[in-house]
mmCIF file of all heavy atoms in Angstrom:
data_model
loop_
_atom_site.group_PDB
_atom_site.id
_atom_site.type_symbol
_atom_site.label_atom_id
_atom_site.label_comp_id
_atom_site.label_asym_id
_atom_site.label_seq_id
_atom_site.Cartn_x
_atom_site.Cartn_y
_atom_site.Cartn_z
ATOM 1 N N SER F 1 0.857 -1.188 0.000
ATOM 2 C CA SER F 1 0.000 0.000 0.000
ATOM 3 C C SER F 1 0.886 1.227 0.000
ATOM 4 O O SER F 1 1.738 1.387 0.868
ATOM 5 C CB SER F 1 -0.890 -0.017 1.240
ATOM 6 O OG SER F 1 -1.547 1.219 1.408
ATOM 7 N N SER F 2 0.722 2.106 -0.997
ATOM 8 C CA SER F 2 1.407 3.393 -1.040
ATOM 9 C C SER F 2 2.917 3.201 -0.942
ATOM 10 O O SER F 2 3.507 2.471 -1.735
ATOM 11 C CB SER F 2 0.859 4.294 0.075
ATOM 12 O OG SER F 2 1.243 5.623 -0.093
ATOM 13 N N ALA F 3 3.568 3.857 0.027
ATOM 14 C CA ALA F 3 5.014 3.717 0.170
ATOM 15 C C ALA F 3 5.417 2.260 0.397
ATOM 16 O O ALA F 3 6.491 1.823 -0.021
ATOM 17 C CB ALA F 3 5.515 4.587 1.320
ATOM 18 N N GLY F 4 4.542 1.508 1.058
ATOM 19 C CA GLY F 4 4.813 0.092 1.267
ATOM 20 C C GLY F 4 4.864 -0.682 -0.031
ATOM 21 O O GLY F 4 5.580 -1.681 -0.153
ATOM 22 N N CYS F 5 4.117 -0.219 -1.028
ATOM 23 C CA CYS F 5 4.139 -0.856 -2.337
ATOM 24 C C CYS F 5 5.503 -0.690 -3.000
ATOM 25 O O CYS F 5 5.994 -1.597 -3.676
ATOM 26 C CB CYS F 5 3.039 -0.269 -3.224
ATOM 27 S SG CYS F 5 2.930 -1.026 -4.850
ATOM 28 N N LEU F 6 6.127 0.471 -2.799
ATOM 29 C CA LEU F 6 7.453 0.699 -3.370
ATOM 30 C C LEU F 6 8.479 -0.240 -2.729
ATOM 31 O O LEU F 6 9.337 -0.803 -3.414
ATOM 32 C CB LEU F 6 7.859 2.158 -3.186
ATOM 33 C CG LEU F 6 6.908 3.185 -3.802
ATOM 34 C CD1 LEU F 6 7.410 4.604 -3.559
ATOM 35 C CD2 LEU F 6 6.710 2.931 -5.295
ATOM 36 N N ASN F 7 8.386 -0.442 -1.414
ATOM 37 C CA ASN F 7 9.274 -1.398 -0.751
ATOM 38 C C ASN F 7 9.017 -2.821 -1.246
ATOM 39 O O ASN F 7 9.959 -3.596 -1.452
ATOM 40 C CB ASN F 7 9.093 -1.327 0.760
ATOM 41 C CG ASN F 7 9.725 -0.089 1.367
ATOM 42 O OD1 ASN F 7 10.687 0.455 0.832
ATOM 43 N ND2 ASN F 7 9.183 0.366 2.484
ATOM 44 N N ALA F 8 7.739 -3.163 -1.420
ATOM 45 C CA ALA F 8 7.409 -4.492 -1.940
ATOM 46 C C ALA F 8 7.982 -4.679 -3.328
ATOM 47 O O ALA F 8 8.469 -5.764 -3.682
ATOM 48 C CB ALA F 8 5.892 -4.680 -1.953
ATOM 49 N N MET F 9 7.936 -3.626 -4.148
ATOM 50 C CA MET F 9 8.485 -3.691 -5.497
ATOM 51 C C MET F 9 9.982 -3.983 -5.480
ATOM 52 O O MET F 9 10.479 -4.825 -6.234
ATOM 53 C CB MET F 9 8.203 -2.380 -6.223
ATOM 54 C CG MET F 9 8.708 -2.296 -7.650
ATOM 55 S SD MET F 9 10.427 -1.732 -7.804
ATOM 56 C CE MET F 9 10.334 -0.080 -7.106
ATOM 57 N N TRP F 10 10.713 -3.301 -4.578
ATOM 58 C CA TRP F 10 12.151 -3.544 -4.498
ATOM 59 C C TRP F 10 12.435 -4.980 -4.049
ATOM 60 O O TRP F 10 13.358 -5.627 -4.554
ATOM 61 C CB TRP F 10 12.798 -2.550 -3.533
ATOM 62 C CG TRP F 10 12.997 -1.183 -4.113
ATOM 63 C CD1 TRP F 10 12.325 -0.039 -3.793
ATOM 64 C CD2 TRP F 10 13.932 -0.807 -5.129
ATOM 65 N NE1 TRP F 10 12.775 1.017 -4.538
ATOM 66 C CE2 TRP F 10 13.757 0.577 -5.373
ATOM 67 C CE3 TRP F 10 14.893 -1.507 -5.860
ATOM 68 C CZ2 TRP F 10 14.533 1.268 -6.313
ATOM 69 C CZ3 TRP F 10 15.649 -0.816 -6.797
ATOM 70 C CH2 TRP F 10 15.474 0.555 -7.021
ATOM 71 N N LEU F 11 11.645 -5.497 -3.122
ATOM 72 C CA LEU F 11 11.851 -6.874 -2.685
ATOM 73 C C LEU F 11 11.593 -7.851 -3.821
ATOM 74 O O LEU F 11 12.383 -8.774 -4.065
ATOM 75 C CB LEU F 11 10.959 -7.189 -1.486
ATOM 76 C CG LEU F 11 11.092 -8.615 -0.952
ATOM 77 C CD1 LEU F 11 11.137 -8.613 0.575
ATOM 78 C CD2 LEU F 11 9.940 -9.508 -1.419
ATOM 79 N N VAL F 12 10.501 -7.665 -4.537
ATOM 80 C CA VAL F 12 10.161 -8.561 -5.646
ATOM 81 C C VAL F 12 11.239 -8.524 -6.722
ATOM 82 O O VAL F 12 11.560 -9.549 -7.344
ATOM 83 C CB VAL F 12 8.789 -8.169 -6.237
ATOM 84 C CG1 VAL F 12 8.536 -8.873 -7.560
ATOM 85 C CG2 VAL F 12 7.680 -8.503 -5.245
ATOM 86 N N SER F 13 11.832 -7.368 -6.941
ATOM 87 C CA SER F 13 12.854 -7.225 -7.988
ATOM 88 C C SER F 13 14.141 -7.966 -7.666
ATOM 89 O O SER F 13 14.950 -8.225 -8.561
ATOM 90 C CB SER F 13 13.180 -5.743 -8.203
ATOM 91 O OG SER F 13 13.976 -5.242 -7.130
ATOM 92 N N GLY F 14 14.357 -8.283 -6.384
ATOM 93 C CA GLY F 14 15.626 -8.883 -5.989
ATOM 94 C C GLY F 14 16.738 -7.869 -5.835
ATOM 95 O O GLY F 14 17.914 -8.238 -5.732
ATOM 96 N N ARG F 15 16.374 -6.571 -5.795
ATOM 97 C CA ARG F 15 17.377 -5.507 -5.757
ATOM 98 C C ARG F 15 17.187 -4.599 -4.538
ATOM 99 O O ARG F 15 17.348 -3.383 -4.625
ATOM 100 C CB ARG F 15 17.307 -4.679 -7.036
ATOM 101 C CG ARG F 15 17.516 -5.511 -8.294
ATOM 102 C CD ARG F 15 17.488 -4.644 -9.528
ATOM 103 N NE ARG F 15 17.692 -5.425 -10.739
ATOM 104 C CZ ARG F 15 18.025 -4.894 -11.914
ATOM 105 N NH1 ARG F 15 18.161 -3.578 -12.024
ATOM 106 N NH2 ARG F 15 18.196 -5.670 -12.973
ATOM 107 N N LEU F 16 16.871 -5.184 -3.421
ATOM 108 C CA LEU F 16 16.627 -4.403 -2.213
ATOM 109 C C LEU F 16 17.798 -3.492 -1.869
ATOM 110 O O LEU F 16 17.609 -2.357 -1.428
ATOM 111 C CB LEU F 16 16.358 -5.340 -1.036
ATOM 112 C CG LEU F 16 14.921 -5.839 -0.863
ATOM 113 C CD1 LEU F 16 14.887 -6.987 0.124
ATOM 114 C CD2 LEU F 16 14.024 -4.711 -0.385
ATOM 115 N N ARG F 17 19.008 -3.975 -2.086
ATOM 116 C CA ARG F 17 20.179 -3.182 -1.684
ATOM 117 C C ARG F 17 20.409 -1.994 -2.609
ATOM 118 O O ARG F 17 21.164 -1.084 -2.255
ATOM 119 C CB ARG F 17 21.407 -4.085 -1.600
ATOM 120 C CG ARG F 17 21.259 -5.115 -0.494
ATOM 121 C CD ARG F 17 22.462 -5.999 -0.310
ATOM 122 N NE ARG F 17 22.191 -7.000 0.709
ATOM 123 C CZ ARG F 17 22.341 -6.805 2.017
ATOM 124 N NH1 ARG F 17 22.749 -5.623 2.445
ATOM 125 N NH2 ARG F 17 22.081 -7.755 2.880
ATOM 126 N N ASP F 18 19.763 -1.987 -3.770
ATOM 127 C CA ASP F 18 19.770 -0.797 -4.612
ATOM 128 C C ASP F 18 18.737 0.223 -4.130
ATOM 129 O O ASP F 18 18.972 1.432 -4.186
ATOM 130 C CB ASP F 18 19.444 -1.141 -6.074
ATOM 131 C CG ASP F 18 20.567 -1.875 -6.773
ATOM 132 O OD1 ASP F 18 21.690 -1.920 -6.235
ATOM 133 O OD2 ASP F 18 20.322 -2.414 -7.873
ATOM 134 N N GLY F 19 17.584 -0.268 -3.692
ATOM 135 C CA GLY F 19 16.449 0.605 -3.433
ATOM 136 C C GLY F 19 16.295 1.112 -2.027
ATOM 137 O O GLY F 19 15.961 2.291 -1.818
ATOM 138 N N ILE F 20 16.511 0.269 -1.018
ATOM 139 C CA ILE F 20 16.222 0.678 0.354
ATOM 140 C C ILE F 20 17.094 1.849 0.821
ATOM 141 O O ILE F 20 16.597 2.741 1.529
ATOM 142 C CB ILE F 20 16.336 -0.523 1.315
ATOM 143 C CG1 ILE F 20 15.318 -1.614 0.920
ATOM 144 C CG2 ILE F 20 16.100 -0.081 2.750
ATOM 145 C CD1 ILE F 20 13.888 -1.112 0.788
ATOM 146 N N PRO F 21 18.370 1.925 0.426
ATOM 147 C CA PRO F 21 19.170 3.085 0.846
ATOM 148 C C PRO F 21 18.630 4.425 0.352
ATOM 149 O O PRO F 21 19.008 5.477 0.890
ATOM 150 C CB PRO F 21 20.559 2.797 0.248
ATOM 151 C CG PRO F 21 20.626 1.301 0.177
ATOM 152 C CD PRO F 21 19.230 0.898 -0.211
ATOM 153 N N THR F 22 17.734 4.423 -0.637
ATOM 154 C CA THR F 22 17.185 5.693 -1.116
ATOM 155 C C THR F 22 16.376 6.400 -0.033
ATOM 156 O O THR F 22 16.191 7.622 -0.092
ATOM 157 C CB THR F 22 16.298 5.490 -2.357
ATOM 158 O OG1 THR F 22 15.185 4.639 -2.028
ATOM 159 C CG2 THR F 22 17.091 4.853 -3.489
ATOM 160 N N TRP F 23 15.882 5.661 0.953
ATOM 161 C CA TRP F 23 15.125 6.280 2.035
ATOM 162 C C TRP F 23 15.983 7.261 2.827
ATOM 163 O O TRP F 23 15.459 8.207 3.431
ATOM 164 C CB TRP F 23 14.565 5.219 2.986
ATOM 165 C CG TRP F 23 13.399 4.470 2.438
ATOM 166 C CD1 TRP F 23 13.376 3.171 2.012
ATOM 167 C CD2 TRP F 23 12.069 4.963 2.253
ATOM 168 N NE1 TRP F 23 12.124 2.836 1.572
ATOM 169 C CE2 TRP F 23 11.300 3.911 1.707
ATOM 170 C CE3 TRP F 23 11.463 6.190 2.485
ATOM 171 C CZ2 TRP F 23 9.947 4.050 1.395
ATOM 172 C CZ3 TRP F 23 10.111 6.346 2.176
ATOM 173 C CH2 TRP F 23 9.366 5.273 1.642
ATOM 174 N N THR F 24 17.287 7.033 2.857
ATOM 175 C CA THR F 24 18.160 7.891 3.660
ATOM 176 C C THR F 24 19.149 8.682 2.807
ATOM 177 O O THR F 24 20.156 9.176 3.318
ATOM 178 C CB THR F 24 18.933 7.048 4.699
ATOM 179 O OG1 THR F 24 19.665 6.000 4.021
ATOM 180 C CG2 THR F 24 17.974 6.421 5.690
ATOM 181 N N ASP F 25 18.867 8.813 1.524
ATOM 182 C CA ASP F 25 19.680 9.629 0.633
ATOM 183 C C ASP F 25 19.137 11.060 0.684
ATOM 184 O O ASP F 25 18.034 11.328 0.204
ATOM 185 C CB ASP F 25 19.609 9.068 -0.789
ATOM 186 C CG ASP F 25 20.469 9.850 -1.773
ATOM 187 O OD1 ASP F 25 20.591 11.078 -1.633
ATOM 188 O OD2 ASP F 25 20.999 9.229 -2.714
ATOM 189 N N PRO F 26 19.879 12.011 1.265
ATOM 190 C CA PRO F 26 19.347 13.373 1.431
ATOM 191 C C PRO F 26 18.891 14.009 0.124
ATOM 192 O O PRO F 26 17.832 14.656 0.084
ATOM 193 C CB PRO F 26 20.532 14.139 2.041
ATOM 194 C CG PRO F 26 21.367 13.094 2.702
ATOM 195 C CD PRO F 26 21.222 11.872 1.846
ATOM 196 N N ALA F 27 19.661 13.817 -0.948
ATOM 197 C CA ALA F 27 19.297 14.431 -2.224
ATOM 198 C C ALA F 27 17.971 13.888 -2.736
ATOM 199 O O ALA F 27 17.097 14.642 -3.181
ATOM 200 C CB ALA F 27 20.403 14.201 -3.256
ATOM 201 N N LEU F 28 17.793 12.571 -2.644
ATOM 202 C CA LEU F 28 16.557 11.967 -3.134
ATOM 203 C C LEU F 28 15.363 12.341 -2.261
ATOM 204 O O LEU F 28 14.270 12.600 -2.768
ATOM 205 C CB LEU F 28 16.702 10.449 -3.199
ATOM 206 C CG LEU F 28 17.405 9.890 -4.437
ATOM 207 C CD1 LEU F 28 17.624 8.396 -4.295
ATOM 208 C CD2 LEU F 28 16.612 10.189 -5.693
ATOM 209 N N VAL F 29 15.565 12.369 -0.946
ATOM 210 C CA VAL F 29 14.462 12.703 -0.041
ATOM 211 C C VAL F 29 13.982 14.127 -0.287
ATOM 212 O O VAL F 29 12.776 14.397 -0.352
ATOM 213 C CB VAL F 29 14.880 12.511 1.429
ATOM 214 C CG1 VAL F 29 13.841 13.109 2.371
ATOM 215 C CG2 VAL F 29 15.068 11.024 1.733
#
């Protein structure tokens, strides 16, 4: 659901280590 869907997408892709760090990237946030 919402932001949770984006996390689910990264998990399904098999690329969690590419995506999850974006939560704490100041430029992206």
Side-chain angles (χ1 to χ4, degrees):
S1 169
S2 194
C5 182
L6 302 180
N7 286 333
M9 180 273 298
W10 282 109
L11 180 137
V12 168
S13 75
R15 302 182 180 197
L16 275 167
R17 295 183 184 275
D18 288 347
I20 299 307
T22 61
W23 285 108
T24 56
D25 182 325
L28 278 173
V29 169

